[in-house]
Amino acid sequence: MGSWRHQARDGGCCGAWLRALACLLLVGAAGSARAAGGVLVVRSQDLPPYAAVDQAFTQSIGQSVTHLTLGGAKNELARALAERPTLVLALGQEAASRVAALRPAAPVLCALVPFPAKIDGRLLPVPMFASPQRQAQALRQAVPSARRVGLVYVPGNSRALADAYARAAETAGLVPVRHEVAGLKDFAGAVRTLVGRVDALWLVPDPSLINAETFKFLVQTSFESKLPLLAYSQAMVKAGALIAMEAGYADMGKRAGATGRRLLGGDAGATPEHPEAALYVNRRSARLLGVDLPDAVRAQAAQVFE
């Protein structure tokens, strides 16, 4: 047995070692606490729209945020969700589908997802488009003579959205004329049946119906039949639609952030609001349609295409 001096030295070394170990354990615990919890953003791809929503959300949420883009390590998403985030934002269809399949305990917001209810009814979607009320008002202001407006949609995809558009049309003093189709093969025929029955066409966003070819057909039909076309993007107006209200990506992120703060604060019933939207107008289309755009509409427009 060593002397008391050796024991003291050993005890001192042991004490120092234990203190160092305790510090390491504390640091490790703190690191785990930082990893566990927090907010997770999952992007389907590294694309500018996702980046814009992500950036605005991150600035708005007021929490530590982890960012993940799919396509990396196979189990990267599962590992990120295993860290028990308190809130998840899924950007895009693939991200929403893969997050929902793993059934995280945290609330899941999603943005830039066309049909979130078809993925999982528990998802909390940030609307991709301007409010139906604002769109209907824009149509009434741009074409005051319009009374009947046509809506073509696939019930399995867009019934809820078509219902909202119809209610907004009625509130704005318009009469909605609805035409359900089974799919793309019936779309052109449905549009043709509305010619002569409506004063304008209001596009219901549905990727299964609206593509480059069908939009070209819509613009041609619009000009030939003098039917103003209410679309939902700046690009569509540039390509020939009369007007559109386009929702901004940054505002989608802000709406997601505002809802996320409420959810994290204990408001389990919080749902995202429609984002702010900008008005776009095509004066050349107006001339071809015989529509005299009011000065007030042109003044409100973020851009007027000539």
Side-chain angles (χ1 to χ4, degrees):
M1 180 180 294
S3 68
W4 66 271
R5 293 181 185 275
H6 285 94
Q7 291 177 35
R9 281 199 302 271
D10 292 344
C13 291
C14 183
W17 182 84
L18 288 172
R19 286 193 297 273
L21 178 60
C23 288
L24 287 172
L25 290 173
L26 286 171
V27 169
S32 298
R34 285 194 297 271
V39 176
L40 175 64
V41 176
V42 184
R43 300 187 197 178
S44 295
Q45 301 178 61
D46 191 12
L47 295 175
Y50 299 144
V53 176
D54 188 348
Q55 181 180 11
F57 171 79
T58 300
Q59 292 172 347
S60 173
I61 191 64
Q63 300 281 331
S64 173
V65 179
T66 299
H67 305 269
L68 172 65
T69 300
L70 298 180
K74 184 176 181 180
N75 297 320
E76 194 171 7
L77 177 59
R79 288 197 297 270
L81 292 174
E83 296 290 346
R84 303 184 306 281
T86 53
L87 179 72
V88 180
L89 171 63
L91 298 175
Q93 191 86 3
E94 184 181 1
S97 297
R98 289 179 57 180
V99 168
L102 292 171
R103 303 181 70 82
V108 180
L109 291 161
C110 67
L112 300 175
V113 179
F115 308 122
K118 296 182 72 172
I119 298 173
D120 192 317
R122 296 171 301 169
L123 293 173
L124 299 172
V126 179
M128 291 178 62
F129 308 103
S131 73
Q133 294 78 12
R134 184 68 187 89
Q135 294 186 62
Q137 290 168 3
L139 178 60
R140 287 288 282 143
Q141 291 170 355
V143 191
S145 62
R147 290 293 177 267
R148 298 171 66 84
V149 58
L151 303 168
V152 180
Y153 60 98
V154 177
N157 292 341
S158 309
R159 183 186 297 278
L161 193 56
D163 289 345
Y165 280 19
R167 289 192 298 269
E170 291 172 347
T171 300
L174 297 165
V175 177
V177 179
R178 303 167 61 146
H179 199 307
E180 297 182 356
V181 295
L184 183 60
K185 63 182 178 62
D186 303 320
F187 182 67
V191 171
R192 291 190 183 100
T193 65
L194 291 174
V195 174
R197 299 174 54 207
V198 299
D199 306 309
L201 294 172
W202 186 355
L203 295 192
V204 179
D206 185 340
S208 73
L209 294 180
I210 309 300
N211 55 43
E213 184 177 348
T214 56
F215 185 73
K216 183 178 179 180
F217 160 75
L218 284 165
V219 171
Q220 182 179 353
T221 302
S222 169
F223 292 155
E224 290 176 350
S225 305
K226 298 294 188 286
L227 281 177
L229 190 60
L230 170 58
Y232 47 86
S233 77
Q234 176 185 359
M236 287 178 164
V237 174
K238 186 176 181 179
L242 177 63
I243 60 170
M245 297 292 303
E246 182 179 82
Y249 296 127
D251 204 64
M252 291 182 201
K254 292 177 184 177
R255 302 291 180 175
T259 304
R261 292 196 305 272
R262 291 175 58 192
L263 290 167
L264 293 172
D267 183 359
T271 55
E273 297 179 354
H274 284 275
E276 292 294 329
L279 174 65
Y280 295 91
V281 176
N282 190 317
R283 287 189 69 184
R284 178 178 178 275
S285 295
R287 289 192 294 270
L288 291 172
L289 293 166
V291 172
D292 185 14
L293 286 171
D295 292 340
V297 171
R298 296 200 300 271
Q300 293 172 28
Q303 186 171 0
V304 177
F305 293 98
E306 300 291 344

